[in-house]
Amino acid sequence: MTRFLVDRMLGQTAKWLRLMGIDTEYAPEGDDEEILKIARGEGRVIVTRDKELARKEGVFLVPKEPATKVIPRILSIYQVEIRPMSRCSKCNSVVEEVDKKAVDKHVPQGVLSWCDDYWRCTGCGQVYWKGTHWDKIMATIEEMTAHI
Ligand SMILES: [Zn+2]
């Protein structure tokens, strides 16, 4: 499965990749050599708008388009496994399903009253549930993956 190293300017692209459960780290601020070294060391494809950097091998040059257009291009080229709600959109760590009791202090009372399924990031501890925004996220993911 392809892993990615995304330019800091491409926050929306990184967020959507993570929401689909795809291993996506941000490239550090630094020169191209340093970014290439990390990408090679960790076996990641670099995703960037930097034309100079994109001349190197293993780099995807992002056209000037919104993330929802860029993602299908990436998915059509690279081998990935799409598993929504498996990775934290904030820190890229793996998210695991947890018992409602384990997170009830971190979830608004209004949510606890109707929602029984929760996930927690193993890295930063962020708690997730499939709230009202989740249908929108899934609809966007379905749109982006429909024609691959
Ligand atoms: Zn996290």
Side-chain angles (χ1 to χ4, degrees):
M1 292 301 135
T2 310
R3 290 139 46 100
F4 296 97
L5 191 64
V6 176
D7 202 310
R8 291 199 173 269
M9 285 162 51
L10 300 167
Q12 282 297 311
T13 300
K15 191 191 89 177
W16 279 109
L17 287 170
R18 286 175 175 176
L19 281 170
M20 291 189 287
I22 299 166
D23 186 343
T24 305
E25 292 287 359
Y26 280 110
E29 308 270 357
D31 58 29
D32 291 359
E33 281 312 312
E34 193 192 339
I35 294 168
L36 283 162
K37 202 176 140 195
I38 291 169
R40 283 174 191 147
E42 297 183 6
R44 294 181 183 275
V45 168
I46 297 169
V47 176
T48 184
R49 283 214 170 115
D50 184 334
K51 288 198 177 103
E52 279 297 311
L53 186 57
R55 287 186 189 157
K56 308 280 184 180
E57 215 177 300
V59 183
F60 178 80
L61 179 64
V62 175
K64 279 215 155 51
E65 288 176 339
T68 47
K69 289 266 197 305
V70 171
I71 298 286
R73 292 185 193 279
I74 292 174
L75 300 183
S76 68
I77 297 172
Y78 302 102
Q79 184 88 24
V80 294
E81 189 186 5
I82 296 167
R83 287 180 58 219
M85 204 61 109
S86 66
R87 205 167 276 281
C88 180
S89 61
K90 293 192 173 153
C91 78
N92 193 43
S93 299
V94 170
V95 168
E96 58 181 17
E97 202 162 354
V98 288
D99 202 74
K100 189 176 185 174
K101 285 195 202 94
V103 294
D104 60 1
K105 288 182 183 65
H106 307 280
V107 177
Q109 203 59 42
V111 174
L112 284 172
S113 63
W114 62 266
C115 184
D116 292 320
D117 301 318
Y118 297 90
W119 289 260
R120 186 168 53 198
C121 174
T122 55
C124 71
Q126 173 74 32
V127 176
Y128 293 94
W129 60 92
K130 291 178 177 174
T132 46
H133 63 291
W134 184 250
D135 291 343
K136 267 190 212 163
I137 290 172
M138 282 311 293
T140 306
I141 290 175
E142 265 159 39
E143 244 170 65
M144 291 192 292
T145 55
H147 305 292
I148 296 162

